[in-house]
């Protein structure tokens, strides 16, 4: 049996990324990302754009989400693995400014090579996110 913490299997790498994110362990999260990672938050999402480098991803995405939302969590409900591609998830959170909860299905497309996430692309109903952010 392979040790989960050392596994390079794409689903295990992605799972470690979700666990690190949920724990707020940005160092462990960065350890799942390739040095040249491309992390894309979709157009219309408040953090829309493509971020590169593990530090760029955590500072421009995870740290920014923590400023706007309480209990932001990406839940890795279902894994669909096709070679190096992994897709899943849903978000839950409460917007700090409005107090409105968010619960929305999302798809995350990860590409994992050599035990590291090299690409991420988010697909989400941005209207539901913005609704939770609107007074």
């Amino acid at each position: 049996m392979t040790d989960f913490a050392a596994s390079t299997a794409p689903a295990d790498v992605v799972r470690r990324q979700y666990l690190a994110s949920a724990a707020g362990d940005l160092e462990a999260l960065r350890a799942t990302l390739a040095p040249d990672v491309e992390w894309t938050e979709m157009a219309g999402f408040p953090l829309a754009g493509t971020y590169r480098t593990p530090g760029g991803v955590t500072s421009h995405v995870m740290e920014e989400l923590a400023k706007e939302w309480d209990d932001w969590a990406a839940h890795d409900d279902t894994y669909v693995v096709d070679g190096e591609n992994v897709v899943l998830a849903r978000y839950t959170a409460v917007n700090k400014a409005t107090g409105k909860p968010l619960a929305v299905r999302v798809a995350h497309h990860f590409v994992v090579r050599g035990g590291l996430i090299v690409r991420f692309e988010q697909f989400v109903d941005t209207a539901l996110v913005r609704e939770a952010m609107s007074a």
Side-chain angles (χ1 to χ4, degrees):
M1 179 176 239
T2 304
D3 178 23
F4 172 73
S7 173
T8 60
D12 290 342
V13 174
V14 170
R15 179 73 178 141
R16 285 197 306 271
Q17 181 272 151
Y18 277 99
L19 291 171
S21 179
D25 187 346
L26 298 184
E27 183 176 336
L29 192 152
R30 285 188 291 269
T32 66
L33 304 176
D36 59 348
V37 65
E38 288 187 12
W39 186 282
T40 302
E41 301 285 318
M42 80 177 279
F45 190 71
L47 303 173
T50 298
Y51 306 96
R52 290 174 175 78
T53 77
V57 170
T58 55
S59 67
H60 293 290
V61 180
M62 288 72 183
E63 291 176 21
E64 291 300 314
L65 287 170
K67 291 177 184 176
E68 299 282 332
W69 301 89
D70 286 321
D71 304 318
W72 181 274
H75 304 272
D76 52 338
D77 294 333
T78 305
Y79 282 71
V80 180
V81 180
D82 179 17
E84 64 188 16
N85 296 283
V86 182
V87 182
L88 45 145
R90 68 187 159 96
Y91 295 147
T92 59
V94 175
N95 185 266
K96 290 182 179 184
T98 66
K100 291 181 180 180
L102 172 70
V104 62
R105 294 290 298 162
V106 300
H108 287 166
H109 177 208
F110 290 89
V111 178
V112 180
R113 288 189 190 123
L116 294 172
I117 296 165
V118 296
R119 191 171 333 129
F120 166 86
E121 188 174 5
Q122 170 204 57
F123 301 90
V124 61
D125 184 340
T126 59
L128 292 177
V129 176
R130 294 205 176 269
E131 170 60 28
M133 297 176 76
S134 300

